[in-house]
Amino acid sequence: MAYITQLKHLIQNELIPDVEEHIDDIFEVIASQKDASPQERAQLEDLQALRDEYKELLGEINNGQIDEEEAEQLYTELTSMREGDDEDDDDDLYYDEDDLDDEDDYDELDIDEDDDQY
């Protein structure tokens, strides 16, 4: 029963709340813009589908349709996916692709020493 309990806790207390938080964030962006871009709509639909899958899985756990072995596999898969997402989020703190576009906007330090212009 250990993995079934851990899986239930993971889904109920971590995964579903995280997905719902992301859904709320998208709704806030949409509300502030008064419209949703096609990417935001697609992301919203994907997150809502993911939340529904988690809730369905939680229902299967509560109805005893998942055994300990399957719970272990699901728990391992979900936690490894989640750890992968956390690592990607950490990378975003240090690397922003948008900054690459602005790389040459302020090249004040690229002055050639032999250039008499300055």
Side-chain angles (χ1 to χ4, degrees), residues 86-96 99:
D86 288 345
E87 289 173 11
D88 291 345
D89 290 345
D90 290 345
D91 290 345
D92 292 343
L93 295 173
Y94 303 107
Y95 178 75
D96 186 3
D99 288 345

Tab-separated table of all heavy atoms in Angstrom, residues 86-96 99:
chain	number	residue	atom	x	y	z
A	86	ASP	N	11.241	20.497	-12.996
A	86	ASP	CA	11.877	21.394	-12.038
A	86	ASP	C	13.249	21.824	-12.540
A	86	ASP	O	13.641	22.970	-12.398
A	86	ASP	CB	12.017	20.738	-10.665
A	86	ASP	CG	10.675	20.596	-9.949
A	86	ASP	OD1	9.696	21.252	-10.374
A	86	ASP	OD2	10.614	19.823	-8.968
A	87	GLU	N	13.997	20.896	-13.149
A	87	GLU	CA	15.304	21.231	-13.683
A	87	GLU	C	15.167	22.229	-14.815
A	87	GLU	O	15.943	23.170	-14.922
A	87	GLU	CB	16.021	19.962	-14.183
A	87	GLU	CG	16.474	19.063	-13.056
A	87	GLU	CD	17.033	17.742	-13.552
A	87	GLU	OE1	17.268	17.611	-14.765
A	87	GLU	OE2	17.228	16.844	-12.719
A	88	ASP	N	14.175	22.061	-15.671
A	88	ASP	CA	13.949	22.996	-16.766
A	88	ASP	C	13.598	24.367	-16.225
A	88	ASP	O	14.034	25.378	-16.759
A	88	ASP	CB	12.823	22.505	-17.691
A	88	ASP	CG	13.215	21.278	-18.483
A	88	ASP	OD1	14.423	20.973	-18.552
A	88	ASP	OD2	12.299	20.616	-19.028
A	89	ASP	N	12.801	24.435	-15.161
A	89	ASP	CA	12.432	25.702	-14.561
A	89	ASP	C	13.665	26.407	-14.008
A	89	ASP	O	13.787	27.620	-14.113
A	89	ASP	CB	11.415	25.507	-13.434
A	89	ASP	CG	10.045	25.075	-13.960
A	89	ASP	OD1	9.807	25.195	-15.183
A	89	ASP	OD2	9.217	24.620	-13.140
A	90	ASP	N	14.582	25.653	-13.409
A	90	ASP	CA	15.794	26.250	-12.872
A	90	ASP	C	16.630	26.855	-13.987
A	90	ASP	O	17.220	27.912	-13.820
A	90	ASP	CB	16.638	25.211	-12.119
A	90	ASP	CG	15.985	24.770	-10.818
A	90	ASP	OD1	15.047	25.461	-10.355
A	90	ASP	OD2	16.402	23.727	-10.278
A	91	ASP	N	16.683	26.197	-15.135
A	91	ASP	CA	17.435	26.717	-16.266
A	91	ASP	C	16.865	28.052	-16.719
A	91	ASP	O	17.600	28.934	-17.151
A	91	ASP	CB	17.422	25.732	-17.447
A	91	ASP	CG	18.247	24.493	-17.168
A	91	ASP	OD1	19.051	24.516	-16.210
A	91	ASP	OD2	18.095	23.499	-17.909
A	92	ASP	N	15.562	28.220	-16.650
A	92	ASP	CA	14.924	29.455	-17.079
A	92	ASP	C	15.372	30.636	-16.227
A	92	ASP	O	15.336	31.774	-16.678
A	92	ASP	CB	13.395	29.330	-17.026
A	92	ASP	CG	12.859	28.362	-18.070
A	92	ASP	OD1	13.610	28.043	-19.023
A	92	ASP	OD2	11.703	27.935	-17.932
A	93	LEU	N	15.786	30.371	-14.993
A	93	LEU	CA	16.224	31.458	-14.142
A	93	LEU	C	17.542	32.050	-14.621
A	93	LEU	O	17.829	33.220	-14.387
A	93	LEU	CB	16.398	30.967	-12.694
A	93	LEU	CG	15.138	30.510	-11.972
A	93	LEU	CD1	15.519	29.904	-10.626
A	93	LEU	CD2	14.186	31.674	-11.781
A	94	TYR	N	18.340	31.259	-15.296
A	94	TYR	CA	19.672	31.696	-15.686
A	94	TYR	C	19.822	31.921	-17.191
A	94	TYR	O	20.780	32.531	-17.617
A	94	TYR	CB	20.700	30.647	-15.243
A	94	TYR	CG	20.631	30.395	-13.768
A	94	TYR	CD1	20.081	29.220	-13.279
A	94	TYR	CD2	21.077	31.342	-12.859
A	94	TYR	CE1	19.989	28.993	-11.926
A	94	TYR	CE2	20.988	31.114	-11.500
A	94	TYR	CZ	20.454	29.946	-11.038
A	94	TYR	OH	20.368	29.719	-9.703
A	95	TYR	N	18.898	31.478	-17.965
A	95	TYR	CA	19.038	31.543	-19.415
A	95	TYR	C	17.716	31.926	-20.023
A	95	TYR	O	16.717	31.273	-19.810
A	95	TYR	CB	19.482	30.162	-19.940
A	95	TYR	CG	19.616	30.107	-21.435
A	95	TYR	CD1	20.691	30.691	-22.074
A	95	TYR	CD2	18.655	29.482	-22.209
A	95	TYR	CE1	20.812	30.643	-23.443
A	95	TYR	CE2	18.770	29.426	-23.588
A	95	TYR	CZ	19.859	30.012	-24.195
A	95	TYR	OH	19.978	29.967	-25.545
A	96	ASP	N	17.705	33.000	-20.774
A	96	ASP	CA	16.501	33.474	-21.416
A	96	ASP	C	16.795	33.657	-22.893
A	96	ASP	O	17.625	34.483	-23.269
A	96	ASP	CB	16.057	34.796	-20.781
A	96	ASP	CG	14.719	35.277	-21.291
A	96	ASP	OD1	14.107	34.561	-22.107
A	96	ASP	OD2	14.282	36.361	-20.872
A	99	ASP	N	16.930	37.062	-24.516
A	99	ASP	CA	18.118	37.892	-24.335
A	99	ASP	C	19.076	37.771	-25.517
A	99	ASP	O	19.844	38.683	-25.789
A	99	ASP	CB	18.870	37.508	-23.058
A	99	ASP	CG	18.132	37.951	-21.804
A	99	ASP	OD1	17.206	38.798	-21.919
A	99	ASP	OD2	18.467	37.448	-20.716
